Amino acid sequence: MSTTQTDTRVVSPLLRIAPTGMYARRARMLVERSVLVSRKMWLIILSGFFEPLFYLLAFQVGFGKLVETVQGPGGQTMSYVAFVAPALLASSAMNGAVYDSTFNIFFKMRYQRLYEGVLATPLGPLDIAMGEISWALVRGVLYAVAFFAVVSGMGLVTSPWALLMVPVAILIAFAFAAIGMAATTWIRSTTDFGLIQLVLIPMFLFSTTFFPLSVFPGAVQVIIQIFPLYHGVELMRGLATGVLDPSMLGHLAYLVVLAVVGMLVAARRLRVLLLR
Amino acid sequence: MTTVGDGVLVQANGLVKRFGEFTAVGGIDVAVRKGEAFGFLGPNGAGKSSTMRMVACVSPRTEGELSVLGMDPDRDGPRIRARLGVVPQLDNLDTELTVRQNLQVYGRYFGLSRATVRAKATELMEFAQLSERADDEVEPLSGGMKRRLTIARSLVNDPELLLLDEPTTGLDPQARHLLWDKLYRLKQQGVTLIITTHFMDEAEQLCDRLVVMDHSRIVAEGAPSALIKQYSTREVLELRFNPGEQQDALDNGVADLVERIEVLPDRLLLYTENGESTLETAHAKGIRPLSSLVRRSTLEDVFLRLTGRSLVD
C-alpha cells in the first residue's frame, strides 16, 4: 500500500517543515512537462544563449577599444572584456531565470490555470514550485555551459577555478527563479511586470557588472551589496580570475538562502492562492 | 456515524466552508454510496462548487467532519486525490500540449509509468472520440471536444470517484447527450459519480440520488422521482389566458380546484394528480383559458418550489 511507502522514505529536514499535502515528491513531472513544451519553442530557448553573446561582442569590438585594461579583483591588471565577461554570465543566468519564473509562471497561473489542474492530482504546491524552478535551472545550465565554452575559447578565463562558474551560474539561476516565482504570486496584472523591470535594470547595470564597487560612494555601496546579482557577479569574477577570498562564502550563503526562502515562499503563496 | 465499511465513499457531517465573513457552505450532511450517481442541484452561489472543492481535497474545510474514501482530506489529501477524478467547472487543459500529451502528462502527475500513460492515452482518446485529433493542439478544439478531453483526462488514473462540476454547462444539445452517454458508461463500469448541475434534465437523467442546495444549505434530498412525489404532484396543468382574463379565472375560484397553484405573470400552474380531469372541472366552472397544457411534474417544478423563482445572484 502507498500508506507505508511514504512514511518510510527519508525526508530532508527542510521538507519536513512543510505542511502535509504540500509535497508529493513528484516535482520532476513538472520538469517533464516543460521539456515537452520546450520542444516547440526551441528558438526562444536558443535566443537566451545569444543575449550574453551579443553583449560580449559589443564589449570585445566596442568598449574594449576605449577602455583597454582595468584593475581586477586581486589588484592585477586585466582586459576590460575579461572583467565584464564573468558578470555577463551571472546576469544572463539571472535574466533567463527571471523570464521563466515571472512571465511564464504568471501566464500558467492566471490564464492557463495550469496549476489548478495539477493540484487536483496528488501533487502539491511545493512540487509545482520545485518543478518549475528546476526547469529554470535546466535552462540555466545549458546557457552557462555554452557561454562558458565561448568565454574560455576567447581566452577570457585565466584560472582552473573558472570551471566552478558553471555551478555558480546554476545557483544564481536557482535564486532568481525562486524569488521571481515568489514575486509573481503577488502580481495582479501584466502591467505589474513593469515593477519587476524597474528592479532588474538597475540591478543589471550597477551590480559591479561594468565597473567595480569602489566607484560608488559609501552609502550607495551598501545598497549595491543588497542586490543579489552583486553577489553572483563577485563570485563569478573571483572564480574567472582565480582570486579567491573568504568573502566568497558570504556571497554563496546569500544566494543559497535566497533560493531556499524564495522557493518556500512561492510554494506557500501557491497554497494560499489556489487551495482556498 | 457511517464508515467506509458500508460502502460510503463520501461522508460529510455539519460541513462548513467560510471565506472571511461569507459562508459558502453552511453545515451540510451528505453520504454518497459506492456505485451511485449523486447530484448537487442548486442555483448559482448555492455552495455546490465549494462543496465539490472540499471533497476534491483542494479546499480545506472550515468546520465539521468530512471523510472521502475513508480518509480525512486535511491529513491524506494527496492519497485521496490519487484515487479521484476531477472535472472542473472551467476547463483547465494544458494549452501548451497536444491532446495526447495532455493525457500522458496528466497520467505522469499520478505517478504512472511512461508505458502505462501511452496506452492509457490511446484508450481514453478512443473513449472520448478524439483519436483523430490526437496530435492537435488543445486551443482550436470545440467546446464539446475540450469537455470530452477534460473528462478523459480525469479518468487517466482509473478513479473510484469522479467529481463533475457542471460538466455540460455551455455545450450544445448534441454535445450534452454525447457526454451523458459517456457518463452512463462510466457508471455502468462501477465508477461513483458526484455531479453538480443546474440543469434539471441532466439531474433527472444521470442522478440516482440528489440534494437540492440553496443559500449554502441542503433543502431537500432523495431520488429524483421521490422528490417529485414529495414536493410536487404527478401532473401540472398550465393555463394561459387572454390578457386581463387570468384575474377573472382566479376570482372564479380556479385555485380551489387544486391543492396548490402558482400564479405567474403569463400563466397559471395548477399542481394536480390528474391534469385532464382538473381541466374538465375548470371548464365546467366556466373557466375558459386561451390554451391549456397537461404535463408531468419534473424536477424543475421541485427545484423552483424549493429555491424560489427570484434570481439569486
Side-chain angles (χ1 to χ4, degrees):
Chain A
M1 266 296 297
S2 58
T3 346
T4 46
Q5 191 182 14
T6 40
D7 295 337
T8 50
R9 279 196 211 167
V10 181
V11 184
S12 80
L14 170 71
L15 299 172
R16 213 178 290 142
I17 59 169
T20 49
M22 286 287 277
Y23 183 51
R25 295 184 197 88
R26 279 197 203 132
R28 67 179 185 284
M29 302 305 180
L30 262 297
V31 179
E32 256 185 59
R33 175 197 173 273
S34 297
V35 172
L36 264 184
V37 173
S38 71
R39 286 187 197 163
K40 273 177 287 189
M41 348 190 291
W42 59 272
L43 198 64
I44 296 171
I45 293 186
L46 198 66
S47 72
F49 166 68
F50 285 104
E51 186 203 288
L53 214 57
F54 288 147
Y55 272 110
L56 198 63
L57 227 63
F59 282 97
Q60 177 78 1
V61 298
F63 285 94
K65 297 279 183 299
L66 300 174
V67 190
E68 286 185 353
T69 55
V70 286
Q71 209 179 45
Q76 83 282 34
T77 303
M78 63 193 293
S79 82
Y80 187 54
V81 187
F83 178 82
V84 172
L88 289 177
L89 179 51
S91 58
S92 79
M94 170 183 89
N95 284 333
V98 166
Y99 181 82
D100 243 344
S101 64
T102 54
F103 294 100
N104 287 354
I105 300 280
F106 182 77
F107 168 75
K108 290 186 217 171
M109 195 164 63
R110 295 289 156 120
Y111 295 108
Q112 202 193 358
R113 303 148 54 81
L114 176 75
Y115 302 138
E116 285 174 39
V118 175
L119 289 173
T121 75
L123 271 65
L126 191 56
D127 293 288
I128 295 176
M130 283 175 70
E132 296 291 54
I133 292 166
S134 304
W135 171 240
L137 294 193
V138 172
R139 275 177 75 165
V141 175
L142 298 178
Y143 296 157
V145 171
F147 189 75
F148 180 77
V150 172
V151 173
S152 10
M154 289 167 72
L156 295 173
V157 294
T158 51
S159 156
W161 287 102
L163 273 173
L164 288 176
M165 288 168 79
V166 172
V168 167
I170 296 166
L171 177 62
I172 294 170
F174 187 179
F176 277 99
I179 44 175
M181 187 170 183
T184 301
T185 62
W186 272 283
I187 281 181
R188 295 149 299 179
S189 70
T190 44
T191 46
D192 285 352
F193 282 114
L195 295 173
I196 290 183
Q197 289 303 315
L198 200 64
V199 177
L200 282 184
I201 289 169
M203 185 141 66
F204 171 58
L205 290 174
F206 304 130
S207 294
T208 71
T209 322
F210 303 107
F211 33 81
L213 190 64
S214 54
V215 303
F216 295 105
V220 181
Q221 285 191 13
V222 176
I223 297 172
I224 301 296
Q225 287 174 15
I226 296 171
F227 289 166
L229 184 60
Y230 161 77
H231 299 276
V233 169
E234 289 300 303
L235 273 174
M236 288 290 196
R237 193 168 283 142
L239 290 170
T241 53
V243 180
L244 304 185
D245 189 81
S247 71
M248 287 169 89
L249 293 174
H251 298 315
L252 214 56
Y254 188 97
L255 292 172
V256 169
V257 168
L258 218 56
V260 172
V261 170
M263 189 171 70
L264 292 179
V265 170
R268 224 195 118 69
R269 285 283 300 162
L270 283 180
R271 184 167 71 120
V272 170
L273 290 178
L274 298 175
L275 298 178
R276 305 197 318 126
Chain B
M1 228 192 88
T2 3
T3 54
V4 219
D6 24 1
V8 173
L9 292 194
V10 178
Q11 172 88 46
N13 292 316
L15 185 61
V16 173
K17 181 72 193 185
R18 278 191 219 99
F19 297 101
E21 293 287 286
F22 174 72
T23 302
V25 179
I28 60 168
D29 303 318
V30 176
V32 180
R33 289 190 286 266
K34 194 169 167 47
E36 74 178 339
F38 189 90
F40 282 93
L41 215 60
N44 290 333
K48 307 185 299 287
S49 291
S50 297
T51 306
M52 285 294 250
R53 285 176 52 80
M54 285 190 279
V55 174
C57 309
V58 292
S59 169
R61 61 184 183 271
T62 313
E63 270 170 39
E65 287 167 44
L66 178 63
S67 142
V68 182
L69 302 172
M71 292 177 274
D72 179 349
D74 281 351
R75 244 193 8 250
D76 297 309
R79 218 169 294 164
I80 299 171
R81 292 199 299 267
R83 293 160 59 188
L84 295 183
V86 177
V87 177
Q89 204 175 102
L90 299 169
D91 288 324
N92 53 21
L93 293 165
D94 197 329
T95 50
E96 291 179 281
L97 300 176
T98 65
V99 169
R100 186 198 304 277
Q101 288 171 337
N102 257 279
L103 297 170
Q104 292 183 346
V105 168
Y106 213 69
R108 294 289 287 153
Y109 295 153
F110 283 96
L112 304 175
S113 74
R114 275 172 232 267
T116 309
V117 296
R118 258 199 304 275
K120 203 76 204 165
T122 308
E123 173 199 325
L124 287 171
M125 285 188 295
E126 191 80 18
F127 169 80
Q129 291 168 253
L130 288 168
S131 304
E132 284 172 15
R133 309 297 296 264
D135 298 309
D136 288 2
E137 298 272 324
V138 164
E139 209 40 71
L141 297 184
S142 72
M145 286 177 169
K146 282 186 193 162
R147 216 60 190 138
R148 262 152 39 215
L149 180 56
T150 304
I151 292 182
R153 190 185 69 170
S154 73
L155 299 172
V156 77
N157 59 328
D158 292 315
E160 293 158 59
L161 176 62
L162 188 58
L163 307 175
L164 301 123
D165 198 356
E166 298 190 11
T168 63
T169 298
L171 298 185
D172 61 28
Q174 286 82 356
R176 289 179 71 202
H177 281 276
L178 184 59
L179 270 185
W180 287 349
D181 178 52
K182 300 293 169 203
L183 294 178
Y184 277 134
R185 278 178 50 189
L186 289 173
K187 211 188 126 192
Q188 278 167 357
Q189 289 163 21
V191 180
T192 308
L193 307 176
I194 301 184
I195 303 158
T196 78
T197 183
H198 44 231
F199 294 121
M200 301 308 129
D201 50 347
E202 183 161 289
E204 270 190 270
Q205 292 262 355
L206 291 177
C207 299
D208 302 314
R209 229 153 48 82
L210 54 88
V211 291
V212 180
M213 284 188 81
D214 193 28
H215 295 108
S216 83
R217 287 177 188 283
I218 290 174
V219 290
E221 176 177 1
S225 57
L227 284 171
I228 292 169
K229 201 173 261 173
Q230 186 179 353
Y231 292 98
S232 193
T233 47
R234 206 172 72 88
E235 291 184 337
V236 182
L237 172 61
E238 297 197 3
L239 299 178
R240 281 175 197 272
F241 295 89
N242 277 320
E245 286 176 15
Q246 183 164 302
Q247 191 52 45
D248 298 341
L250 286 167
D251 294 341
N252 214 338
V254 69
D256 303 335
L257 298 177
V258 284
E259 255 176 66
R260 191 161 71 87
I261 184 168
E262 199 164 356
V263 182
L264 300 183
D266 63 333
R267 64 195 195 276
L268 298 177
L269 301 185
L270 283 74
Y271 292 90
T272 171
E273 281 310 306
N274 187 328
E276 287 301 340
S277 79
T278 307
L279 183 59
E280 273 170 37
T281 325
H283 279 306
K285 276 194 116 180
I287 293 161
R288 296 274 173 270
L290 192 63
S291 69
S292 63
L293 167 75
V294 176
R295 60 169 175 84
R296 293 184 70 90
S297 266
T298 65
L299 210 46
E300 187 140 354
D301 298 303
V302 176
F303 185 78
L304 290 173
R305 180 171 181 194
L306 289 169
T307 62
R309 282 184 187 271
S310 55
L311 274 178
V312 183
D313 56 356

